[in-house]
Amino acid sequence: MSEGSKGSSLAFGQVVIGPPGSGKTTYCHGMQEFMGRIGRKVTVVNLDPANEAMPYQCAVDIAELITLPDVMENLKLGPNGGLIYCMEYLEANFDWLQEKLAALRGHYYLFDCPGQVELYTHHDALKNVFAQLAKWNFRLAAVHLVDSHYCTDPGKFISVLCTSLSTMLHVELPHVNILSKMDLIEQYGKLAFNLDYYTEVLDLSFLVDHLASDPFFRNYRRLNEKLVEVIEDYSLVSFVPLNVQDKESMRQVMQAVDKANGYSFGDQEHRSLEALMSAAVGADFHFTSTLAVQEKYVQSQDRAVEEEMMDL
């Protein structure tokens, strides 16, 4: 795998990024299993030096090069400074990563990345790692996971939109934003708007108006309007909902990522995918689309209205 070699074959994959607790490791585990079942040779590369309990089969682990506890102990750094040091150390040791990946040619790669937001918004170490992978003929898409519970809080959702936009502009890779843990969204509370409003990032002025009803956010209406203008001017951010327990949801995410990084699967994989989806019936298909979640919200809201009318 010589650097910049035009003759070497292309390699495809995903860099899985996002804030702590957004479900990156769970996503890698679920996607590894899902792709394996349709015949795709998948390997997971752990680039998170703080990741100790990995549920997936890991082919390359940054812990062989450096670990966060060692950095924190020896250099007397905190978790954030330690993670930045680890990524800079990885950037300075490209030869280690190149040697590890060279033994895995012919696979589809899932890169499980750290959860420190500043690594994707303004620090250059991971960005440079991704750029180096591109020089090695890797065709990657960034899969940015965001916990779906932020949809239930308009203020936090605007913050998530700003973070997602900043990440897209900084990382400089084809990008797929994911609303993760959709199977748990009902536990977080009611949505102010239909689910597609959040996934498609529709007219955000409604979100600002909704925030203005809160006495605290009323004082920051002008600021929120300007943030929304920036997001809408770029018109880049949208989300794909994900429930890792649902095969249809996983298929939709996989196809969105395949479109982003240019991966084209063969006939055998296509047949395997059709067989897998045709067998996808029963208890494990309790969630089939975003409409399933939205219907529950509509029904619960209708019941609430009926109860209010009866009280009157």
Side-chain angles (χ1 to χ4, degrees):
M1 188 167 59
S2 59
E3 183 175 334
S5 173
K6 296 182 179 180
S8 60
S9 60
L10 294 178
F12 293 88
Q14 310 173 19
V15 293
V16 184
I17 61 180
S22 57
K24 296 184 295 297
T25 296
T26 301
Y27 171 87
C28 288
H29 184 210
M31 191 58 72
Q32 181 185 44
E33 289 189 345
F34 182 80
M35 289 182 171
R37 292 181 65 179
I38 62 173
R40 192 178 299 189
K41 294 171 60 179
V42 181
T43 187
V44 181
V45 179
N46 176 43
L47 295 183
D48 185 357
N51 203 351
E52 296 178 350
M54 294 173 288
Y56 49 71
Q57 296 179 0
C58 183
V60 180
D61 189 355
I62 194 176
E64 299 175 18
L65 178 69
I66 192 170
T67 65
L68 181 60
D70 288 343
V71 169
M72 293 174 61
E73 180 180 355
N74 296 326
L75 300 181
K76 308 304 178 185
L77 294 173
N80 289 344
L83 272 174
I84 290 176
Y85 179 89
C86 289
M87 293 302 99
E88 291 175 344
Y89 191 82
L90 174 63
E91 181 187 2
N93 289 272
F94 279 139
D95 54 341
W96 173 84
L97 184 61
Q98 183 178 18
E99 181 181 349
K100 292 292 184 179
L101 296 178
L104 298 167
R105 295 300 278 183
H107 287 72
Y108 186 95
Y109 298 82
L110 298 174
F111 293 89
D112 189 1
C113 299
Q116 191 174 359
V117 175
E118 53 262 46
L119 289 172
Y120 313 115
T121 56
H122 58 271
H123 195 267
D124 286 337
L126 263 181
K127 174 184 175 181
N128 293 338
V129 170
F130 301 154
Q132 184 63 50
L133 289 170
K135 293 179 181 178
W136 294 337
N137 281 329
F138 279 79
R139 298 297 177 262
L140 302 173
V143 178
H144 183 220
L145 271 67
V146 174
D147 197 316
S148 60
H149 86 266
Y150 290 118
C151 294
T152 60
D153 187 320
K156 291 181 179 178
F157 187 64
I158 290 178
S159 176
V160 161
L161 291 174
C162 292
T163 302
S164 299
L165 177 59
S166 178
T167 301
M168 295 175 75
L169 296 176
H170 183 73
V171 171
E172 297 180 347
L173 284 176
H175 216 88
V176 178
N177 291 305
I178 304 291
L179 282 177
S180 63
K181 306 179 185 178
M182 289 301 300
D183 52 321
L184 303 177
I185 192 172
E186 291 177 304
Q187 300 179 13
Y188 303 135
K190 293 182 179 179
L191 298 180
F193 305 100
N194 290 342
L195 193 59
D196 58 355
Y197 177 87
Y198 300 92
T199 57
E200 299 300 325
V201 189
L202 302 175
D203 189 351
L204 295 178
S205 62
F206 293 106
L207 206 60
V208 175
D209 293 337
H210 186 75
L211 275 173
S213 63
D214 188 308
F216 176 80
F217 286 106
R218 189 179 300 134
N219 298 326
Y220 300 96
R221 181 184 180 101
R222 187 79 175 134
L223 172 62
N224 288 322
E225 286 176 346
K226 291 301 180 182
L227 291 174
V228 162
E229 285 179 12
V230 171
I231 295 166
E232 292 185 329
D233 284 346
Y234 278 95
S235 190
L236 290 175
V237 184
S238 62
F239 295 93
V240 180
L242 171 66
N243 169 16
V244 294
Q245 304 298 326
D246 173 39
K247 297 183 181 65
E248 174 61 24
S249 178
M250 292 291 284
R251 181 186 67 83
Q252 291 175 356
V253 169
M254 183 189 72
Q255 291 181 337
V257 178
D258 284 350
K259 183 177 180 180
N261 65 12
Y263 181 87
S264 179
F265 53 77
D267 291 339
Q268 181 58 48
E269 181 176 318
H270 183 66
R271 288 193 294 271
S272 299
L273 179 60
E274 288 183 339
L276 176 63
M277 299 311 300
S278 65
V281 293
D284 65 336
F285 258 63
H286 53 84
F287 179 97
T288 57
S289 68
T290 59
L291 291 177
V293 175
Q294 187 56 41
E295 284 179 4
K296 293 181 181 179
Y297 276 106
V298 172
Q299 291 170 2
S300 64
Q301 291 170 354
D302 289 344
R303 284 195 298 269
V305 172
E306 290 175 0
E307 291 174 357
E308 290 177 1
M309 295 296 294
M310 291 178 65
D311 290 340
L312 294 175

